[in-house]
Structure formats: structure tokens, C-alpha cells
Amino acid sequence: MRYYDRLVFELSKPGRVGFSLPDASEGLAALSGIDSRLMRSVPARLPEVTEVDVVRHYTNLSQMNFGVDTGFYPLGSCTMKYNPKVNEEISGVFADVHPLQPESTLKGVKTVYDCLGKSLSAITGMKKFTFLPCAGAHGELTGLMLIREYHLRRGDTARTKVIVPDSAHGTNPASAAVCGLEIVQVKSDASGLVDVESLKPLLGPDVAAIMMTNPNTLGLFESNIKSIASMVHEAGALLYYDGANMNPLVGVARPGDMGFDVMHLNLHKTFSTPHGGGGPGSGPVGVGEKLVDVVDSQKVSGFHGNFAVMLRALAYILMLGRQNVGMVGRLSTLNANYIKESLKDSFKLPIPSVCKHEFVFDGLADDGSDGGSRPGASTLDVAKRLLDFGFHAPTIYFPLLFHQAIMIEPTETESLETMDAFIDVMHKIAEEAKKDPEVLRSAPHTTPVGRPDETAAARNPILKYSFE
Ligand SMILES: *Cc1c(COP(=O)(O)O)cnc(C)c1O
């Protein structure tokens, strides 16, 4: 272990300080006016370290973290793309507003919301957006609440079911359940698309909506979307679009034109806000013509949502401009197909058709050497081994349709050279799996922590330093 990989408590030496100020501890209670009975009698057991120890401690911690600013992050169903720093800068300069500021001082802020609403409407084909939801799942819940409100206002009270494809992101059924709706699953067919024949009998007067992602979670475009939309509308239900991963569509196709009535976007995936650290995010919800009257009926958060995220999104869209915005969808699709085609000899490709922004392998290709036996390493082993080469692992064991799923989404922001380097490493790992699978099974070899017991880490997290 490197010296500065130690916990800050382990660096501590009694009496060591990182400042030089007159001792005011005696008079602290008097100075602050706090009742002395409320003051601590024993000093807090804080680490006693110098300034340089503190700086090294935090700088080293920050370097243990893998981010899109440190390397390639091909995480499927999550769009980990590079966020241009200029958008960060603009957000930092202008986001300095207080939610309780008088409205007369917020004309510029209002203009930002208006412009962003118009831009997102142009990109998605929706009529109007609400910016209150603070995350993708929050947007889903809001969208479903709007759908329920729409049906109720028409006196249509029996619609309590939501149809969700088996390939859907886990938040879809979860949001429907939180909204008090019953979830009905629709199967995918052999080509990975929603099975239209299975969908037909599910539609009826008790269905409020179908939630879909297009391209779906396998990265495949639901080419039957137009006929699905007519079927659903004929049955009196609405179409909800999960636009968390809008990347492949930006500037190419619009959910509004496909027949979707309500959708959310993840500004923190597609529109330049970094994500993965737990926020802040934004999941604005857009509605089509039918729901314009209900879009402001659900007050799902205080104030106006996360303004700094809106600023980044607007700056991002305006920086790209009308012409370049069309390259987002095209390049993210081209890059995914490039990696898929380059690796399909080493990894099992269950659905070989052209993909959109992401695709799924089902583990390593069978080892041909002794009559097609199973490969000597699992998807987890491949993911762990990638860390040794400085790449973040793809999404693994999701979607659940394949047992050894490896889901790769390169995004449009990666260069050909970066992708080639990743492809080389993936081939190399596949080679190792044949010749020396133990190297994979014991990976990673270069990270501070190798293979923690993930269940124990989640169930019994150790969040406090024990001074024993
Ligand atoms: C990320 C994601 C969500 C959820 O978004 P959060 O902001 O994490 O709540 C929903 N659907 C899909 C397809 C996603 O990729």
C-alpha cells in the first residue's frame, strides 16, 4: 500500500495541526453566544494532520475515482459521455440565483427556461416541458401522474395498468408501482423488439399507458413503433417514452413524431451534466398536444428544479447549434456499430443486427479450441480485467435477457483511436481467457481494492472509523 492510501485517521499524529491561530477555545462559548451546557466537553476526535497531509489525502482519494474525465467509460444504458467544460463554466457563472429571489430580478432565468423548453421541444417533437422533476425516475413518476390525471379528467377511471416491455430499465416498473399502477409485462421477440402479437391481447379499457424506450435497452430501434402507437391509441391508452438515453435520436428522429404522448429526458445523461455521483440531475417531462393542459398539474418538487443543470443543457445545445446537433445521434450510432463489428469474433453477439447507440454481448465467444467448450472466464472476470488496462467496465449482467450480458455504449465523444485502444484490449482479454484464464479470474491486479464482497458491502457498509 502506498503511504497516502491510508485513511486520514491513520495519518493522524496527536498535536499536529495545519494552521496557526491564537487559542480561543476558552472563550469560544462566550464569543459564539452558545449556552455552555450545549458545548462539547471533550474535543471531537478529528484527525490531527498538517495541511499538506489533508491536500494529499483528498487529491489521492479523487484519483482513486474513475470518471469520464480520466478515461473511456463505455457504460451501456447510461450514456457516460464527455461533458464540455465550457458548459460547466457557463453554469457556474449564471447559476448564482436564490429560489426566493423576487421574480422581477429573474427575467434572464425565465428566458433560460423558455429557450430550453423550445429547444427540447424542437429536438423531441413534444409540445411543452415541465422542469420540476429532478431525475429520470422522478420524471417517469411525473409523466405517469400526468397520464393518470389525463384519464381522470376525461372521466376514464378504470385505467390502472401500465404495460412495460421485459427489456425495460428497472425504474419503469418501479415508477409505475410508486404511482399506484399495476404492471403488465410484454415480451420481446427473438429479434429483441417488443412482440406486437403478444401486445395486442394486453390492450384494453383498463390500460393507462405503455412505457417504451426506443432504441430499446438492447440498443435496437423498435421499427414497429408506428403500428404499436396506433394500436395503443385505438385502445384509449397513451404512450410514454423513456428518453433517459436520448443520445442516438438527437438530431435524427423525434419521439413526438413516432406517436409518443409523454416523455422524460435525463439532462444528466444526454445534455452535458456529469452523472454517476448521485446528482444533482434533472428529468424534465415533455408532453404532446393531448396533455398540454395537464402538464403543470403535478407539483413534484419545490421551486423550479435544478437550474444549474438547465443552464448546462441550454449551453450545450446552443454550442452545438442546429447543424452539429444532428451529429450526436449519428456518431453515437456509428461508434457503437464500429465496436460491435470489431469485437464480434471474440465475444458472443446474440443479436447481430445494426444497433443504435449501444449493444449487448453475451459473454466471451465459445472457446473453439476443444470443440466449442465454454470460455474459461465470466463476464465479471472480463469487466474486472478491463480495470487493469485503465478502462471503466461496461454495464454487466444487464439487461437480464442474457446470462452473461456485457452492454457497451461508447457515445459520440470518443475518438477512433480511443475506441481502437479499447478494442485491442478486449481482444487481448479474450485471448487471455483462452490461454491463461486465471489472470482474469484474479483480476483486477492494479486497483486499491480488488473484488469486494458486493453483497456484504451493500448490506453492512462500514461508514465510521473505529478508533480501536
Ligand atoms: C438512467 C435511466 C433511467 C433513470 O434515470 P435516473 O436519473 O437515474 O433516475 C431511466 N431509464 C433509463 C433507460 C435510464 O438509462
Side-chain angles (χ1 to χ4, degrees):
M1 184 167 77
R2 297 176 309 175
Y3 180 69
Y4 279 105
D5 284 346
R6 255 155 263 260
L7 297 176
V8 71
F9 288 100
E10 293 162 355
L11 299 175
S12 180
K13 287 278 168 298
R16 193 160 284 175
V17 290
F19 61 87
S20 156
L21 289 171
D23 181 10
S25 49
E26 289 290 297
L28 203 58
L31 273 178
S32 60
I34 297 171
D35 190 326
S36 59
R37 285 172 306 165
L38 300 176
M39 299 294 282
R40 41 163 95 248
S41 51
V42 184
R45 287 208 268 178
L46 298 175
E48 297 178 76
V49 284
T50 60
E51 176 173 327
V52 64
D53 280 341
V54 174
V55 168
R56 286 184 185 152
H57 169 68
Y58 282 109
T59 307
N60 279 297
L61 267 190
S62 77
Q63 289 173 356
M64 284 182 190
N65 207 3
F66 193 100
V68 83
D69 285 358
T70 37
F72 185 42
Y73 205 135
L75 201 67
S77 188
C78 226
T79 309
M80 284 288 186
K81 66 182 186 181
Y82 176 73
N83 305 295
K85 295 294 168 252
V86 63
N87 306 327
E88 203 63 48
E89 190 79 20
I90 286 171
S91 170
V93 171
F94 294 108
D96 202 7
V97 286
H98 193 279
L100 295 176
Q101 232 169 285
E103 222 167 303
S104 62
T105 63
L106 295 172
K107 284 200 180 119
V109 171
K110 193 165 174 312
T111 307
V112 168
Y113 280 98
D114 289 348
C115 285
L116 182 59
K118 280 187 194 139
S119 305
L120 295 181
S121 289
I123 289 171
T124 60
M126 291 289 146
K127 283 277 176 297
K128 200 173 171 208
F129 273 86
T130 165
F131 291 99
L132 293 181
C134 294
H138 200 199
E140 290 170 29
L141 175 63
T142 308
L144 290 169
M145 287 161 79
L146 296 178
I147 287 172
R148 191 174 54 191
E149 182 70 16
Y150 167 83
H151 289 309
L152 290 180
R153 283 195 192 180
R154 292 157 48 93
D156 199 351
T157 55
R159 297 190 180 271
T160 53
K161 291 184 177 165
V162 172
I163 300 174
V164 180
D166 56 5
S167 65
H169 194 270
T171 50
N172 291 187
S175 302
V178 170
C179 196
L181 297 161
E182 192 188 324
I183 297 118
V184 182
Q185 203 178 67
V186 60
K187 282 192 314 209
S188 304
D189 63 18
S191 59
L193 303 180
V194 166
D195 187 345
V196 180
E197 288 312 309
S198 307
L199 176 61
K200 268 183 201 156
L202 301 179
L203 292 166
D206 54 352
V207 174
I210 181 169
M211 297 180 88
M212 285 179 70
T213 312
N214 195 18
N216 65 25
T217 302
L218 295 173
L220 303 172
F221 191 80
E222 297 281 357
S223 46
N224 298 317
I225 189 59
K226 283 275 189 179
S227 50
I228 291 176
S230 332
M231 278 164 57
V232 171
H233 285 146
E234 249 161 60
L238 296 176
L239 281 92
Y240 184 90
Y241 181 77
D242 179 341
N245 302 298
M246 183 70 188
N247 239 29
L249 291 198
V250 174
V252 181
R254 310 192 312 168
D257 299 336
M258 297 175 203
F260 285 98
D261 304 292
V262 188
M263 68 176 290
H264 80 269
L265 288 166
N266 275 26
L267 297 187
H268 50 288
K269 281 181 188 166
T270 310
F271 294 97
S272 198
T273 283
H275 76 103
S282 173
V285 169
V287 298
E289 198 72 64
K290 287 181 202 160
L291 289 101
V292 168
D293 292 340
V294 298
V295 69
D296 293 319
S297 67
Q298 310 294 320
K299 179 89 179 129
V300 295
S301 66
F303 307 107
H304 298 287
N306 286 324
F307 183 56
V309 182
M310 322 289 164
L311 275 170
R312 288 193 195 94
L314 182 61
Y316 174 67
I317 292 168
L318 295 180
M319 286 284 172
L320 283 173
R322 197 177 278 276
Q323 290 151 338
N324 293 329
V325 106
M327 295 307 285
V328 174
R330 288 178 174 86
L331 284 178
S332 61
T333 298
L334 180 64
N335 286 357
N337 280 286
Y338 179 71
I339 294 183
K340 168 170 72 71
E341 291 303 310
S342 305
L343 287 176
K344 69 181 183 189
D345 294 337
S346 294
F347 293 83
K348 208 181 291 173
L349 181 63
I351 298 174
S353 48
V354 172
C355 66
K356 294 297 177 225
H357 60 307
E358 62 192 4
F359 63 92
V360 183
F361 285 131
D362 188 10
L364 287 156
D366 287 343
D367 183 348
S369 59
D370 65 350
S373 67
R374 291 295 301 154
S378 67
T379 279
L380 179 67
D381 301 329
V382 172
K384 291 286 185 188
R385 184 68 176 134
L386 263 173
L387 307 180
D388 286 333
F389 294 97
F391 292 112
H392 196 280
T395 297
I396 56 171
Y397 300 112
F398 179 83
L400 307 176
L401 298 169
F402 307 108
H403 291 302
Q404 292 290 324
I406 303 178
M407 191 179 196
I408 296 176
E409 177 181 357
T411 84
E412 76 283 10
T413 58
E414 297 305 324
S415 67
L416 181 61
E417 290 74 19
T418 303
M419 289 191 293
D420 281 341
F422 174 73
I423 289 163
D424 276 354
V425 163
M426 287 289 274
H427 280 309
K428 190 169 170 185
I429 291 174
E431 219 29 58
E432 285 178 345
K434 284 181 199 161
K435 300 212 172 105
D436 189 7
E438 196 42 43
V439 176
L440 270 69
R441 291 192 214 118
S442 53
H445 305 279
T446 57
T447 56
V449 177
R451 295 198 181 204
D453 177 339
E454 290 175 14
T455 310
R459 299 268 160 80
N460 309 310
I462 300 167
L463 304 174
K464 284 194 306 191
Y465 182 69
S466 88
F467 285 91
E468 278 83 64

